[in-house]
Amino acid sequence: MKKQTRGFIILFGLCFFFLATSLFAEDISVQAQLSQRNAYVGEAIVYQIQVTGSDSPDQPDLSGFTDFNVSFMGGQNTNQTFQMTVNGQTTRYENKGYVFQYKLIPKGAGNLTVPSIDVKVNGRIFRTGASSVYIQEPVEVDNFKARVSLSKSSCYIGEQIYLSVTLYFGANIQSPIFSVPLLNDDRFHFIPVDQSKSTQKDDLVNIQVNDEEMIMKIAQGTLNGQKYNTLSFSMIVIPRVSGDLVLDKATVSFDGVSGYRNVQDFFGRTVRKEQYSKFVVPSNQARLTSLELPRANRPPGFSGLVGEYKVAAEAYPLEVKVGDPITYTVKLSGGLYMQYDDIPDLNELSAFNENFKIPKDRAPGKIQGSEKLFLHTIRASNKDVKEIPSLEIPCFNTKTGKYEKIVAPAIPIEVEPTATLTYLDVQGEDPEEIKKDVESWKEGIAYNYTGPSVLRSQNAGLSGLTHPAMLLFLIILPLAYLVLLYMFRLRPLIEARRNPVKLALQQVLKNLGNWDESLSSADQYNVLLEQLKYYFGAKFSKKAGALTFADLKPILQSEKTPQELIDEVRSIYEVCEAARYANQGKVGVEEMKTRVINLINQLERGL
Amino acid sequence: MKRLLFFFLVLVALNLSAQEIVSEQKDVDHLLEEATRAYQSALEISTDEPWKADDLFKRSIQFFQGIVDAGIKNGAIYYNMGNAYFRINDLGKAILYYKKALEFSPGDANLLQNLTYARSKRIDSIQDKEEVKILKTLLFFHFDLSSDVKTLIFVISFVGVWVLAALMIFIHKKVFLNILIGCALVSCFFFVSMTVDQWARANQTQGVILAEEVVARKGDSASFEPSFQEPLHSGTEFIIVEERQDWLQIELNDGRRTWLPRKTLGLLKEI
């Protein structure tokens, strides 16, 4: 076999090995479990998919679970690590895993099948096993009943009506959970009702409804002539589609008192103790006829208000000059939930825009009690304006079943001409063009961010400071300072302590180099001699100020200094001392300085 | 031959990882595109069809969440999610996500404006403690400046200290010494301020009430008496003091403590 062919076979084999090991590197398994095998219609069953061998499976598709309403409760990894030490050698093991949790709410009774599903893990498909669950139809019992009711049995698309879900209980209950699949029905829009404003605080409790907690009201009520305690909540319902709509039943599960048994207390007395059992009770099935809004006679500029709305308006001040601001407030009422309700833009109404200046932007309405207030700042544009015109809002009256116009009556005002002459008036400029400070509009939120920078991961907090480059920079600064300090301050000091002669020599040479030319001749000689004495003082550990040549001579001889250098020392001493008193030396100062430097250098070399 | 083999294997490995990166990038690009489209469409129909708009805003939130789940942590994404939650009137989550965005983009003017506006819409008015108010006035540089600005001032003053100290080795001037002392004080202040911030971030779990309203209790069960006359409402901010299974003890901005069910709360560390 040729060498090249053999090489390619080895290469192919390695590639195959590489792929095979990557595919079968981990031992992966997928299992599905149900929290219970028996349940009632509407009762939640937890469905868990356990993946072992990987902590990054794709979320499975449960759209095939047609017998159940499915809601995803979340997923989390179940990774475990442990160490094992055998013969002193420690080995670290890691078990990867992931769990998906779903809530299944059976839609009907019978033996229902939870189908097998495909779970994609690391590119491979694993299939869970199918299982069955027996679902019973919940049964209403005398003491416990659930009711779903609507404030109207017939309404129009977009109309707001009340939905109430109530549990009637004639005996004590514990841990109630409401399952109201209707709240996830896309045919309706639901808005929670704030019950705290109309109910005593002590009569409010947090109860689980589907996956969320909701504040419910505890009260007393009558059903079929029988008195019960009630636990209820309300929502505003807005139908989105037309037709005869059947609302899904709600169910309530709880532990309720099913009987009593006699027990003996601590003192031996017989007392009656409540016996609790699990109950799941169904509600009635409510129906709603939802009607389309009639297309005929739909007025132009129909605002979308559907209900029994009313509108009123007020303005202040009523006596103004041309251009003065008037606060015009429109009060809309009659809706159960008015967050989305709006009135026409005054700028588009000719009755307003012909006689008034109206800002192009206006604040969104503000809900205050049962009203929604729309504030406008308008200005009369001429003195002939006599009133703020009536405001007509086309809406659909659900009581009469017709399109109608609700009207805020006109408000009379008095407008005087502008009397104040301003600089701009004198200049002949149009008062409409008077420049004003541009004030920021404080209502509303700013725009969203887009673009590639949004997809760049950022670090939170003091990340800039803890970045390695920044830390390095911050550490280098003090280090650089310490290096400079050592080089230019500490090292000379240390060396001076080690070798005072050298330090003195450097000092003398430095002083002679920085010669002060302004000194008198006598002083210059004096300085010269003092430097020489300072040098000898340091060199022979003597007191420099009183060091005469007579003192030096025996020391220099004992150090075996050549005679010519001793003579030179004597000569310098004589010349300098003579010049100090004569104010002029035999030899020039510059020459003496050179001789002193040469002498010191020769002595340093020789001694 | 060995060289060829080695080169080939490296090429395969690089190609596989590059493909994976490109594919992930395409995924998040797509998610951002979809999120932006849904948000824009929702804005366009928000006046005429508010319910449909709500659905679209929720859809945009799901796409943004997909980006976060893909491992991208960016202040702008959390800010956008805050905006979408605000649009669907989920004030609690809007404030929660704005606060999360604040961790990444503390100096963002739009974010600060939106957060302030969202806070102004809350029902509960809870004032800061008096001591905190005084501290906030005195130590304005600690409370008002963003982490970025603090970092910048600290770095400049820190550099100033060491440069001036180095200059003073060669040149002895009193003015240098005075500036050096000033810089040292400033850098100390800001170092302490940033350390306190970091400590708070690591040790204090902040959160926001998400439920429309919730009755705060004096203990960790619904059987305890209410803590306040009124229930608390969505958007109210707090820090966690203690955790017990399904209930958390929280401290409000005015220093009052109470217990709330865990389900009604959103915590910054959990998003």
Side-chain angles (χ1 to χ4, degrees):
Chain A
M1 195 183 288
K2 280 184 184 176
K3 197 176 177 182
Q4 199 176 3
T5 316
R6 197 171 56 198
F8 275 114
I9 289 172
I10 292 169
L11 186 62
F12 178 77
L14 278 170
C15 285
F16 180 77
F17 177 74
F18 171 72
L19 284 170
T21 49
S22 67
L23 281 175
F24 300 104
E26 290 168 299
D27 187 15
I28 295 169
S29 68
V30 177
Q31 284 184 323
Q33 289 175 337
L34 288 166
S35 62
Q36 59 205 80
R37 297 282 174 181
N38 293 296
Y40 288 95
V41 175
E43 189 183 358
I45 303 167
V46 177
Y47 179 62
Q48 207 174 57
I49 300 168
Q50 171 79 50
V51 179
T52 49
S54 169
D55 58 0
S56 55
D58 292 357
Q59 191 178 331
D61 176 18
L62 269 63
S63 57
F65 285 36
T66 50
D67 291 336
F68 303 88
N69 286 320
V70 181
S71 55
F72 181 49
M73 292 166 69
Q76 64 175 40
N77 69 47
T78 55
N79 294 348
Q80 290 177 323
T81 53
F82 59 95
Q83 290 183 336
M84 192 179 282
T85 305
V86 178
N87 296 334
Q89 193 172 2
T90 303
T91 314
R92 186 183 167 88
Y93 296 93
E94 184 175 17
N95 288 341
K96 288 184 175 179
Y98 198 89
V99 175
F100 294 103
Q101 276 202 331
Y102 295 85
K103 187 188 280 182
L104 307 183
I105 297 176
K107 291 178 183 172
N111 218 352
L112 304 185
T113 302
V114 178
S116 61
I117 54 159
D118 291 341
V119 184
K120 194 173 178 183
V121 186
N122 296 353
R124 294 171 65 197
I125 303 287
F126 294 86
R127 178 165 277 262
T128 65
S131 49
S132 65
V133 56
Y134 181 66
I135 306 297
Q136 288 174 274
E137 195 72 56
V139 193
E140 192 171 278
V141 288
D142 281 346
N143 259 353
F144 307 108
K145 297 175 193 300
R147 289 290 178 269
V148 172
S149 60
L150 294 161
S151 59
K152 280 177 151 187
S153 59
S154 171
C155 70
Y156 290 89
I157 292 178
E159 186 179 351
Q160 301 166 355
I161 59 173
Y162 280 117
L163 165 83
S164 296
V165 180
T166 308
L167 172 69
Y168 293 86
F169 53 100
N172 283 349
I173 58 166
Q174 291 176 348
S175 315
I177 297 173
F178 283 64
S179 173
V180 190
L182 167 67
L183 299 183
N184 300 320
D185 194 333
D186 288 339
R187 296 175 300 171
F188 305 95
H189 186 74
F190 293 94
I191 298 150
V193 175
D194 183 0
Q195 305 210 67
S196 62
K197 286 170 188 159
S198 59
T199 311
Q200 290 274 340
K201 307 301 169 213
D202 291 348
D203 295 334
L204 296 175
V205 284
N206 277 325
I207 302 289
Q208 192 178 331
V209 178
N210 297 345
D211 296 332
E212 294 175 3
E213 282 220 337
M214 204 172 269
I215 293 181
M216 290 200 191
K217 189 168 75 173
I218 300 173
Q220 290 191 325
T222 307
L223 184 68
N224 301 331
Q226 197 176 338
K227 279 190 176 175
Y228 291 92
N229 291 319
T230 60
L231 182 62
S232 64
F233 70 94
S234 296
M235 297 202 105
I236 295 167
V237 189
I238 306 169
R240 291 169 158 180
V241 295
S242 62
D244 286 326
L245 308 177
V246 179
L247 278 61
D248 289 339
K249 280 183 183 178
T251 53
V252 189
S253 62
F254 54 88
D255 294 327
V257 173
S258 55
Y260 297 89
R261 73 185 165 98
N262 291 332
V263 291
Q264 289 199 325
D265 70 1
F266 181 75
F267 302 104
R269 293 173 302 194
T270 303
V271 290
R272 216 163 64 133
K273 196 174 178 188
E274 293 171 332
Q275 289 287 99
Y276 281 86
S277 302
K278 173 97 177 169
F279 287 92
V280 179
V281 293
S283 76
N284 57 317
Q285 194 150 45
R287 289 171 181 276
L288 177 69
T289 306
S290 174
L291 306 169
E292 286 267 11
L293 292 180
R295 293 190 182 281
N297 303 323
R298 184 174 292 188
F302 171 54
S303 58
L305 298 177
V306 179
E308 295 171 42
Y309 282 91
K310 288 176 185 165
V311 67
E314 58 187 40
Y316 181 84
L318 299 176
E319 293 174 9
V320 291
K321 292 190 171 66
V322 171
D324 284 353
I326 302 168
T327 304
Y328 178 60
T329 308
V330 180
K331 295 178 177 180
L332 188 69
S333 59
L336 301 179
Y337 180 73
M338 297 203 288
Q339 183 71 31
Y340 300 128
D341 292 346
D342 202 2
I343 61 169
D345 185 355
L346 301 188
N347 268 306
E348 292 173 6
L349 302 176
S350 58
F352 279 86
N353 63 27
E354 281 170 6
N355 291 319
F356 292 91
K357 278 195 72 69
I358 302 156
K360 282 183 181 158
D361 294 317
R362 68 177 164 95
K366 190 177 172 186
I367 294 169
Q368 204 170 74
S370 60
E371 293 178 324
K372 189 168 186 181
L373 309 184
F374 298 88
L375 264 66
H376 303 81
T377 302
I378 60 174
R379 295 159 199 270
S381 54
N382 61 71
K383 65 180 175 54
D384 300 326
V385 177
K386 301 292 177 203
E387 63 173 24
I388 299 172
S390 60
L391 175 67
E392 295 181 345
I393 305 172
C395 64
F396 184 80
N397 189 332
T398 51
K399 195 174 181 182
T400 60
K402 290 177 183 171
Y403 290 101
E404 290 175 357
K405 280 183 179 171
I406 52 173
V407 182
I411 301 172
I413 57 169
E414 286 181 24
V415 182
E416 292 177 22
T418 310
T420 313
L421 277 180
T422 64
Y423 172 77
L424 291 169
D425 293 327
V426 176
Q427 291 290 309
E429 293 189 25
D430 186 351
E432 296 288 332
E433 293 176 2
I434 293 172
K435 290 184 174 63
K436 292 180 184 135
D437 289 338
V438 179
E439 285 183 35
S440 298
W441 187 250
K442 287 172 186 164
E443 292 288 323
I445 58 170
Y447 58 92
N448 265 19
Y449 291 131
T450 57
S453 63
V454 170
L455 298 176
R456 221 168 283 141
S457 272
Q458 295 175 317
N459 292 316
L462 301 176
S463 55
L465 202 60
T466 52
H467 191 277
M470 179 59 85
L471 284 175
L472 192 66
F473 175 67
L474 294 179
I475 292 167
I476 279 175
L477 280 173
L479 286 178
Y481 169 75
L482 289 174
V483 168
L484 288 174
L485 190 70
Y486 174 76
M487 283 173 65
F488 294 98
R489 281 292 169 87
L490 297 178
R491 197 167 65 178
L493 283 174
I494 293 165
E495 284 181 357
R497 282 196 179 174
R498 281 185 190 156
N499 192 348
V501 180
K502 195 175 174 186
L503 179 70
L505 179 64
Q506 282 174 349
Q507 193 65 43
V508 168
L509 292 175
K510 186 181 170 188
N511 291 344
L512 291 177
N514 300 330
W515 193 255
D516 189 355
E517 300 290 345
S518 65
L519 292 174
S520 67
S521 177
D523 287 340
Q524 288 185 3
Y525 282 106
N526 191 28
V527 169
L528 211 53
L529 189 58
E530 290 302 318
Q531 292 299 320
L532 191 60
K533 282 180 183 178
Y534 174 62
Y535 165 70
F536 281 126
K539 189 166 181 70
F540 300 125
S541 305
K542 298 288 178 188
K543 204 171 181 182
L547 207 57
T548 60
F549 177 68
D551 299 327
L552 279 173
K553 190 177 177 183
I555 300 168
L556 289 169
Q557 284 173 340
S558 68
E559 296 284 339
K560 294 180 182 170
T561 310
Q563 189 54 44
E564 65 268 23
L565 289 182
I566 296 173
D567 291 342
E568 178 65 0
V569 173
R570 182 175 48 81
S571 168
I572 291 170
Y573 256 79
E574 283 173 0
V575 171
C576 289
E577 280 180 348
R580 280 164 67 183
Y581 301 105
N583 208 20
Q584 191 179 357
K586 293 176 188 170
V587 184
V589 177
E590 281 302 318
E591 188 187 333
M592 280 307 294
K593 194 169 82 176
T594 313
R595 281 175 61 184
V596 168
I597 292 168
N598 287 340
L599 172 69
I600 291 172
N601 285 334
Q602 284 177 16
L603 284 170
E604 279 303 302
R605 279 199 296 271
L607 295 179
Chain B
M1 190 63 205
K2 278 180 186 171
R3 273 189 193 174
L4 181 70
L5 180 64
F6 176 73
F7 179 72
F8 177 76
L9 288 175
V10 168
L11 209 63
V12 168
L14 283 176
N15 188 37
L16 282 175
S17 71
Q19 275 178 3
E20 205 168 297
I21 291 165
V22 169
S23 151
E24 279 172 12
Q25 186 59 42
K26 273 184 183 172
D27 286 347
V28 291
D29 283 346
H30 172 71
L31 287 172
L32 180 63
E33 206 174 288
E34 289 293 329
T36 308
R37 190 178 298 142
Y39 189 86
Q40 284 305 120
S41 309
L43 282 179
E44 281 163 19
I45 62 166
S46 60
T47 315
D48 300 329
E49 296 172 282
W51 311 307
K52 277 189 186 169
D54 275 6
D55 290 344
L56 282 169
F57 282 127
K58 284 175 190 167
R59 199 171 151 76
S60 79
I61 291 168
Q62 285 173 348
F63 286 123
F64 284 129
Q65 186 60 50
I67 296 172
V68 174
D69 292 343
I72 290 171
K73 310 282 182 201
N74 187 303
I77 296 289
Y78 291 114
Y79 163 85
N80 289 350
M81 291 175 82
N83 283 352
Y85 276 117
F86 185 84
R87 296 278 179 196
I88 58 171
N89 295 311
D90 193 339
L91 198 59
K93 280 196 175 161
I95 292 176
L96 183 70
Y97 277 87
Y98 284 147
K99 279 171 74 81
K100 185 73 182 174
L102 212 55
E103 287 182 356
F104 296 90
S105 320
D108 188 313
N110 286 330
L111 169 60
L112 293 172
Q113 181 206 316
N114 289 9
L115 178 57
T116 307
Y117 184 61
R119 281 173 172 161
S120 75
K121 295 286 173 191
R122 290 187 295 210
I123 294 173
D124 300 327
S125 170
I126 294 167
Q127 302 294 325
D128 283 342
K129 277 191 276 192
E130 279 304 315
E131 308 91 88
V132 174
K133 276 186 191 171
I134 296 167
L135 272 179
K136 279 186 175 176
T137 311
L138 290 176
L139 303 177
F140 68 93
F141 63 87
H142 174 67
F143 290 99
D144 294 349
L145 298 181
S146 69
S147 298
D148 284 353
V149 175
K150 284 183 196 173
T151 306
L152 184 69
I153 296 174
F154 168 72
V155 170
I156 289 172
S157 55
F158 186 80
V159 170
V161 167
W162 294 108
V163 168
L164 284 165
L167 268 178
M168 286 186 66
I169 294 173
F170 306 103
I171 307 164
H172 291 275
K173 286 200 172 176
K174 203 176 176 186
V175 65
F176 285 171
L177 182 65
N178 291 339
I179 299 172
L180 187 145
I181 292 169
C183 285
L185 285 174
V186 170
S187 66
C188 282
F189 280 148
F190 281 92
F191 182 74
V192 171
S193 168
M194 290 188 298
T195 310
V196 170
D197 280 348
Q198 194 66 10
W199 176 87
R201 201 168 283 120
N203 296 292
Q204 285 187 340
T205 304
Q206 296 186 43
V208 178
I209 294 178
L210 300 183
E212 283 277 319
E213 62 176 24
V214 55
V215 179
R217 303 274 172 190
K218 290 184 176 173
D220 57 339
S221 152
S223 55
F224 280 92
E225 295 298 310
S227 293
F228 312 118
Q229 295 277 336
E230 303 282 332
L232 294 175
H233 295 86
S234 64
T236 301
E237 294 163 66
F238 58 80
I239 54 170
I240 289 181
V241 180
E242 191 182 338
E243 298 189 35
R244 285 189 198 168
Q245 288 189 336
D246 296 337
W247 287 75
L248 300 179
Q249 192 189 20
I250 61 156
E251 184 175 305
L252 300 170
N253 287 350
D254 59 5
R256 286 184 288 178
R257 293 184 174 186
T258 186
W259 288 88
L260 290 173
R262 193 189 189 97
K263 281 183 176 180
T264 61
L265 310 174
L267 306 183
L268 280 187
K269 67 179 181 185
E270 289 178 353
I271 59 171

